[in-house]
Amino acid sequence: MSRLLHYGSRLAALGAAAGTGWWFGFTSRELDGLPEGLFSGVFGKVSAAALQGYSMQAPAELAPLNPDVPRVTEIMQYGFPSLNNVRARADYVISYDARNRVPYWVCEHLTADRLAKNPDVDRSKCDFHEDPSIHEYFRSENQDYKGSGFDRGHMAAAGNHKLSQFDCNQTFLLSNMAPQVGKGFNRDKWNELESYCRKLTRSYASVYVCTGPLYLPRQEEDGKLYVKYQVLGPNHVAVPTHFFKVVVCETQSGDFELESYLLPNAAIEDSTPLTTFLVPEEVIERASGLLFFDKLSKKSFKKINGKKVGWF
DNA sequence: TTTACTGT
């Protein structure tokens, strides 16, 4: 039997918006069979400065909330999805895909404190600029996006980093961007999902978000599966077919909940509820080659995609 | 409110 199964009618909206609705199937294999601490300890002995890879010095007020713990350690405490080209920014962490000139993933840690209104931070003062920490062969540039019809879509959202102007500025590095359909997606349904993640900080102590692009296979007329995507500009910046967001919410008492979203990079009807795009985390892990929050036992989640989980 | 583009 084919390993590629149509994932179900619930995802029809994804396929309909993006084209043929083929999907990575998955078996009923145990979700918690993954090796414990696959990446744990790797970064425990490496200083945040060593990971920085970027010469801009963060001002003193950007110290982590807990001065004994580097910010990167707070953001990544439940595991790195992968270890390729990792850079720690002031308030988010990125793994950069040098071949596609977009991120593999970005991780953020949201709290109500850090999202509080700050009159000192003005998004309109921010400008998109290329990332000098990326080798010049692999950087995306503004000219790649200009006239392409695609937005420079933030993976780590600007609206999530309002503690200082510096934090906000760093989200405008082009290494943090991927081409997104503007109207109907980046400025609408995707924006709604980002806004929803911020809203979660009203009811949870911490919200951990991992975001990134996907390039999913589609069945073509010959019946075979192909991965096909447009590339933009002189640097051939890849246009992802989909984007994912994996969200872990932590309560004051240390309970965890997980939600995982997968959206097509296409205009989405405004009336479509976000819950339409909930998929099992495993679908995104198999499609991306990443493992999310792998330091957290799968059994620690009290709720997954809005449903209470009984592990006993 | 936040997301960004295009044209001036």
Side-chain angles (χ1 to χ4, degrees):
Chain A
M1 185 176 168
S2 169
R3 295 262 297 131
L4 284 156
L5 303 168
H6 196 259
Y7 175 61
S9 60
R10 199 142 154 267
L11 296 176
L14 298 177
T20 315
W22 287 86
W23 211 261
F24 277 107
F26 62 98
T27 65
S28 56
R29 180 188 300 175
E30 286 290 313
L31 287 171
D32 57 347
L34 303 170
E36 278 297 326
L38 192 56
F39 299 114
S40 66
V42 173
F43 283 95
K45 293 166 187 168
V46 181
S47 73
L51 279 170
Q52 197 80 25
Y54 192 67
S55 57
M56 254 191 209
Q57 188 59 49
E61 71 266 23
L62 292 170
L65 296 181
N66 178 350
D68 297 330
V69 180
R71 184 64 178 140
V72 58
T73 304
E74 287 179 328
I75 297 168
M76 304 310 297
Q77 65 173 310
Y78 298 124
F80 284 71
S82 68
L83 296 172
N84 204 337
N85 279 333
V86 174
R87 283 162 173 66
R89 307 300 188 203
D91 200 37
Y92 69 95
V93 180
I94 181 172
S95 163
Y96 187 73
D97 180 350
R99 183 168 74 83
N100 285 317
R101 296 86 157 97
V102 296
Y104 280 118
W105 52 260
V106 302
C107 284
E108 299 167 276
H109 170 226
L110 311 184
T111 61
D113 285 352
R114 284 180 169 265
L115 294 175
K117 276 186 184 169
N118 185 349
D120 297 336
V121 178
D122 184 355
R123 183 194 166 109
S124 68
K125 287 180 186 164
C126 293
D127 215 351
F128 296 91
H129 46 107
E130 60 182 90
D131 185 341
S133 81
I134 306 293
H135 189 285
E136 61 177 331
Y137 287 0
F138 312 134
R139 285 178 210 161
S140 63
E141 300 175 284
N142 284 315
Q143 61 168 334
D144 296 315
Y145 288 85
K146 192 167 179 65
S148 70
F150 290 92
D151 280 8
R152 295 164 289 190
H154 286 66
M155 295 294 96
N160 292 348
H161 306 278
K162 301 202 289 193
L163 203 63
S164 75
Q165 190 67 43
F166 181 86
D167 286 21
C168 186
N169 289 349
Q170 274 208 332
T171 71
F172 278 76
L173 288 167
L174 286 176
S175 53
N176 180 45
M177 305 297 160
Q180 291 186 319
V181 169
K183 196 166 160 26
F185 186 68
N186 182 36
R187 306 172 201 177
D188 296 291
K189 194 56 64 183
W190 183 255
N191 185 27
E192 183 183 328
L193 179 58
E194 291 176 334
S195 182
Y196 166 76
C197 291
R198 287 192 283 274
K199 194 175 167 186
L200 288 170
T201 62
R202 297 182 197 170
S203 35
Y204 296 91
S206 275
V207 177
Y208 296 86
V209 185
C210 186
T211 307
L214 287 173
Y215 312 87
L216 298 185
R218 282 167 34 164
Q219 190 180 40
E220 305 234 325
E221 286 187 3
D222 64 2
K224 297 174 183 174
L225 292 163
Y226 297 88
V227 176
K228 183 176 130 184
Y229 53 90
Q230 188 183 349
V231 295
L232 306 181
N235 295 302
H236 294 180
V237 179
V239 180
T241 64
H242 292 73
F243 290 92
F244 67 81
K245 214 177 253 299
V246 181
V247 186
V248 166
C249 300
E250 184 172 5
T251 65
Q252 205 70 51
S253 54
D255 285 338
F256 295 95
E257 300 178 8
L258 181 138
E259 293 181 359
S260 40
Y261 294 88
L262 180 46
L263 280 70
N265 187 13
I268 294 168
E269 187 67 41
D270 215 37
S271 60
T272 311
L274 282 176
T275 52
T276 306
F277 304 102
L278 286 168
V279 299
E281 183 193 29
E282 184 179 335
V283 169
I284 304 174
E285 292 184 321
R286 287 179 181 274
S288 65
L290 305 171
L291 295 173
F292 304 105
F293 304 104
D294 72 302
K295 281 189 180 180
L296 278 175
S297 162
K298 300 295 176 191
K299 292 181 179 177
S300 62
F301 294 114
K302 293 275 164 61
K303 203 186 268 188
I304 293 176
N305 284 348
K307 288 180 183 161
K308 284 187 180 172
V309 181
W311 290 103
F312 304 102

